[in-house]
Amino acid sequence: MRRKLLSAALAATMALTLAACGSEEQSADNPDAYTIGICEQMEHVSLSEATRGFKAALTELLGEGNVVFQEQNAGGEQTNCTTIMNGFISDGVDLILANATWPLQAAASATADIPILGTSVTDYGTALGIEDFSGTVGGNISGTSDLVDLEAQAEVLHELFPNAKTVGLLYCSGEPNSVYQIETVRGYLEPMGYTCEVYAFTDVNDLASVTQTACDNCDVIYIPTDNTVAANTETVANVVIPVGVPVVGGDPGICSGCGVATIATDYYELGRLTGEMAAQILQGEADISTLAVQYGPMQKLYNSANCEALGVSVPEDYIEVE
């Protein structure tokens, strides 16, 4: 069974974002195979690792040939997430993996029947507009979170840059989870004696200019698990490295691209955890409506090249980021 083709009109408007981004792996020998729709918000290493871990775990648990993956990438366009989800529903997938906040929001709006697992989502309460989120979404939604201990991230910054005075908090204003993280980490940094200045950009078009402004006014920059930055780390690196301003990032992709250090989720293992949840749901071993959001393992990472370029030394308990 082949994935249904998008209409000609949609194909014309989405060619640049979806062409070469979607794939379907299938088992012609097993018509009873589970079909899983996977939507990544955009291309970057952390989301890709989560997808890779998810597919590996689910394939191992259900068996080779018993699961079909329909993969799509929204190319950083929120409207594409909605189109992709509508396609999954039309195709009758058995479960949806919503990889990051926008796919999760689109999936939640599109169906109340098909099981939805999020991953690489920082805070489900913020993403889904749930007040006093208790850890369980309910209905047809659950998943895994890449939220780290934001106090621990603030402590990493303080451990490496105790003499810094001003911290620039750089994030995309269009990402609700980034807003949440910035507000939270600021509450930890300011009692440590730092002056925090917020630098929000609207999209990739003003990322370089806002980063430059942050560099002009700050000693160190903090960036949360922001998908827009993670997909455009070279843009940030081209600004911060020449002027000698270090970045503490919220995820491994930011650390490997433009940062010096982070404490972050292992996204491959986060994906595997999500795959294990999917297997339980598909096989009737777990009720998604009562399944609490789960969290992945954390690790301290550093970027040796950027640390060397900026003269930053890290303790021995940091692992070099890949």
Side-chain angles (χ1 to χ4, degrees), residues 5-63:
L5 296 176
L6 294 172
S7 69
L10 287 175
T13 58
M14 297 181 63
L16 292 178
T17 53
L18 299 183
C21 292
S23 67
E24 182 174 357
E25 298 173 12
Q26 46 203 330
S27 172
D29 298 328
N30 186 3
D32 297 321
Y34 294 107
T35 302
I36 313 299
I38 300 175
C39 178
E40 288 186 11
Q41 182 165 313
M42 59 182 64
E43 293 281 355
H44 73 70
V45 64
S46 297
L47 301 188
S48 297
E49 282 297 285
T51 294
R52 190 170 70 88
F54 174 82
K55 291 170 61 180
L58 197 51
T59 301
E60 290 170 14
L61 291 168
L62 297 183

Side-chain angles (χ1 to χ4, degrees), residues 82-101:
T82 300
T83 303
I84 291 167
M85 294 305 165
N86 289 337
F88 289 159
I89 294 168
S90 177
D91 288 348
V93 300
D94 297 298
L95 183 142
I96 293 171
L97 176 70
N99 195 341
T101 300

